[in-house]
């Protein structure tokens, strides 16, 4: 049952003052009606007040008995000692009596020797009801029974929040896509496979270029345009995108990524065209059992690398040093073929040294600013680098095939026809039939006859005869130099068995071609 809220102790109510019993006074003062002071909270939140007695539950007084201290009747437990709580009881059925609640207040802080103070809370009068006792118990609705193992705290299971990327992907999937969006999604899913497909296409294009190169040497002059454009693109590429860790096209803005892909695509096509065009000429000028085969293998590796899009873009073109070395090797190989095409009858050694000088200058311009090239220190660096490059090319000339010259035919036999050809060519013969040995070679010189050639006979790697061109050259087909040499009489060593080779070399020591045969016992 809801009870009315109690009034404040200092509230003024006529009916409350008319029926309320007076508060007992201390022994030193007369018994008067207590003035209810305003309750204070003890300083510093000290001791809390104590409820001593809740009246209204004791036995009813006799009819006509006075209520209050004048009646002289006190409930059990009441005491007349000073400071004792005042207790007023009323009959349970008499609801016109105002119940008093007595609180004992603790001594106030800061007042030495003070005694506890009693305050009486006046309850408002209630209308009369039946004499049946009042049930003051608060009735709470019964809660439904829960399992014993169930946790008192509620468990809330929340669904995980979708990220922004998931929401965007879901919205993209639900959105109707047009043809352009479908193509973009297809390339995004299969871009690596498409790059490898483009690699296969590049290899096929290289094979076509090789076939085209075999048609004639006159197209080699166009390589000068390709190497010039490639130099300009490489120079511009690293000026725009930087090198090493600073180069990050993948996270750059869309325009930067587009420029990156366009420039690398053009460079790859230029390199593929140049390198696959060079391969046939170097292949024909090299000998597989000679040291100059390594340069051909290097060019072949560069040609294949230019077709691997992912490796070319993410490794080769990421570091300026790698890209500069790659360009320098390609430039050097191209100039060895371009200079004879532009300047026929040029000596091979001069072509080799000129190609090395230009390649070193091209390499330096990719690393040094243009302003530094004209300073004193820049001139010194260029001079030292050029001298080192030219000296390296001269020292390793035996490793470089003398393109575009190559052997079209070479053989050794025991006799020769009136037109200068061999009656028969042999690769193996018995030493007992050897009276003389003759060698005939045809050297194709599409870049002109700028070198003097000679035959070098070797037995088991030891030089036996070196015959100059003046004594060897005979008339041959147009565009070729036919050389003929022989070993007779005293030029033959005592022991003939073993491996023999006849090399065609330039006067500077570059190997043009080789033929070999075996003498058995």
């Amino acid at each position: 049952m809801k009870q009315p809220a109690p009034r404040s102790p200092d509230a003024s109510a006529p009916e409350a003052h008319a029926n309320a019993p007076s508060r007992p006074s201390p022994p030193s003062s007369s018994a008067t009606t207590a003035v209810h002071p305003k309750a204070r909270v003890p300083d510093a939140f000290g001791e809390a007040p104590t409820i001593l007695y809740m009246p209204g539950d004791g036995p009813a007084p006799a009819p006509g008995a006075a209520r209050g201290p004048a009646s002289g009747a006190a409930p059990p437990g009441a005491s007349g000692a000073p400071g004792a709580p005042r207790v007023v009881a009323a009959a349970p059925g008499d609801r016109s009596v105002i119940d008093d609640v007595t609180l004992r207040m603790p001594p106030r802080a800061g007042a030495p020797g003070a005694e506890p103070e009693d305050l009486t809370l006046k309850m408002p009068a209630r209308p009369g009801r039946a004499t049946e006792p009042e049930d003051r118990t608060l009735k709470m609705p019964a809660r439904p029974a829960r399992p014993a193992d169930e946790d008192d705290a509620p468990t809330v299971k929340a669904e995980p929040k979708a990220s922004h990327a998931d929401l965007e992907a879901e919205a993209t999937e639900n959105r109707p896509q047009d043809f352009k969006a479908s193509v973009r999604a297809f390339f995004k899913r299969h871009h690596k496979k498409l790059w490898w497909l483009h690699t296969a296409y590049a290899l096929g294009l290289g094979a076509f270029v090789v076939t085209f190169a075999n048609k004639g040497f006159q197209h080699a002059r166009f390589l000068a345009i390709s190497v010039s454009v490639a130099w300009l693109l490489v120079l511009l590429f690293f000026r725009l995108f930087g090198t090493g860790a600073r180069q990050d096209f993948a996270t750059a803005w869309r325009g930067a990524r587009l420029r990156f892909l366009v420039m690398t695509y053009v460079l790859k096509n230029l390199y593929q065209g140049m390198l696959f065009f060079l391969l046939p000429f170097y292949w024909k000028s090299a000998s597989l059992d000679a040291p100059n085969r390594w340069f051909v293998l290097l060019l072949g590796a560069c040609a294949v690398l230019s077709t691997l899009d992912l490796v070319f873009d993410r490794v080769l073109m990421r570091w300026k040093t790698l890209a500069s070395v790659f360009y320098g090797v390609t430039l050097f190989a191209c100039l060895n073929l371009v200079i004879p095409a532009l300047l026929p009858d040029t000596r091979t050694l001069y072509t080799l040294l000129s190609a090395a000088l230009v390649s070193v200058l091209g390499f330096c311009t990719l690393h040094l600013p243009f302003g530094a090239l004209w300073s004193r220190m820049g001139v010194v660096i260029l001079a030292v680098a050029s001298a080192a490059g030219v000296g390296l090319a001269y020292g390793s000339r035996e490793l470089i095939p003398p393109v575009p010259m190559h052997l079209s035919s070479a053989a050794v036999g025991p006799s020769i026809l009136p037109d200068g050809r061999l009656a028969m060519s042999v690769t193996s013969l018995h030493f007992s039939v050897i009276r003389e040995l003759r060698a005939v070679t045809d050297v194709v010189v599409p870049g002109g006859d700028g070198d003097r050639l000679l035959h070098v006979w070797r037995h088991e790697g030891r030089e036996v005869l070196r015959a100059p061109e003046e004594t060897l050259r005979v008339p041959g087909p147009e565009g070729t130099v036919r050389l003929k040499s022989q070993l007779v009489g005293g030029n033959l060593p005592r022991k003939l068995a073993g491996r023999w080779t006849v090399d065609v070399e330039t006067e500077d020591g570059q190997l043009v071609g080789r033929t070999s045969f075996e003498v058995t016992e």
Side-chain angles (χ1 to χ4, degrees), residues 159-345:
E159 295 293 333
K161 292 184 178 181
S163 63
H164 178 72
D166 296 337
L167 295 176
E168 186 177 356
E170 183 179 357
T172 304
E173 292 178 358
N174 297 331
R175 188 188 310 152
Q177 296 183 351
D178 53 2
F179 177 75
K180 184 177 180 180
S182 301
V183 172
R184 188 181 297 111
F186 175 81
F187 278 101
K188 186 177 181 179
R189 288 195 304 268
H190 305 287
H191 67 282
K192 289 188 177 180
K193 297 178 182 177
L194 293 176
W195 278 121
W196 286 111
L197 183 62
H198 181 266
T199 298
Y201 155 77
L203 287 172
L205 180 62
F208 171 77
V209 172
V210 169
T211 305
F212 174 76
N214 287 325
K215 297 295 181 180
F217 172 71
Q218 62 274 13
H219 302 291
R221 60 177 63 94
F222 294 105
L223 292 176
I225 301 175
S226 298
V227 294
S228 301
V229 176
W231 173 82
L232 182 61
L233 284 177
V234 173
L235 180 67
L236 183 62
F237 179 87
F238 287 104
R239 291 290 192 275
L240 290 176
F241 299 102
T243 180
R246 294 181 301 171
Q247 184 189 108
D248 190 9
F249 75 94
T251 59
W253 63 93
R254 186 175 181 181
R257 292 197 300 269
L258 182 60
R259 287 198 296 269
F260 182 93
L261 293 176
V262 169
M263 294 182 71
T264 55
Y265 183 79
V266 175
L267 275 173
K268 282 181 288 188
N269 282 272
L270 287 173
Y271 281 129
Q272 291 164 15
M274 291 185 290
L275 292 169
F276 281 103
F277 188 88
L278 293 174
L279 280 177
F281 294 96
Y282 279 90
W283 176 263
K284 290 184 292 186
S285 296
S287 301
L288 295 181
D289 57 348
N292 57 15
R293 69 180 182 274
W294 296 111
F295 191 82
V296 181
L297 294 178
L298 175 62
L299 288 182
C302 292
V304 174
L305 182 60
S306 66
T307 63
L308 302 178
D309 300 287
L310 297 179
V311 179
F312 188 91
D313 293 345
R314 300 184 182 183
V315 178
L316 183 63
M317 296 307 296
R318 186 175 181 84
W319 306 97
K320 184 187 291 187
T321 303
L322 290 178
S324 302
V325 171
F326 188 86
Y327 173 77
V329 172
T330 305
L331 176 61
F332 176 76
C334 286
L335 291 179
N336 278 326
L337 197 63
V338 169
I339 293 177
L342 297 177
L343 304 172
D345 299 331

Side-chain angles (χ1 to χ4, degrees), residues 12-166:
S12 176
E15 64 275 13
H17 287 286
N19 298 324
S22 61
R23 178 177 178 271
S25 301
S28 60
S29 60
S30 60
T32 58
T33 303
V35 178
H36 307 288
K38 186 182 298 184
R40 296 182 180 180
V41 178
D43 295 342
F45 299 97
E47 184 181 355
T50 305
I51 299 177
L52 300 179
Y53 181 71
M54 177 66 73
D57 296 331
R67 301 179 181 92
S71 64
S79 174
R86 186 182 185 281
V87 179
V88 178
D94 188 4
R95 297 304 171 192
S96 62
V97 179
I98 299 176
D99 296 337
D100 294 346
V101 177
T102 302
L103 303 178
R104 170 163 291 179
M105 305 301 294
R108 297 181 180 179
E115 298 182 356
E117 182 180 5
D118 295 343
L119 299 179
T120 302
L121 300 180
K122 299 297 184 179
M123 306 300 292
R126 286 173 286 189
R129 293 185 182 178
T131 58
E132 58 188 28
E134 179 183 3
D135 187 5
R136 297 187 180 183
T137 305
L138 297 178
K139 302 295 184 181
M140 303 299 293
R143 294 184 179 180
R146 291 185 297 178
D149 57 349
E150 182 178 351
D151 191 3
D152 291 339
T155 302
V156 179
K157 295 182 178 180
E159 295 293 333
K161 292 184 178 181
S163 63
H164 178 72
D166 296 337

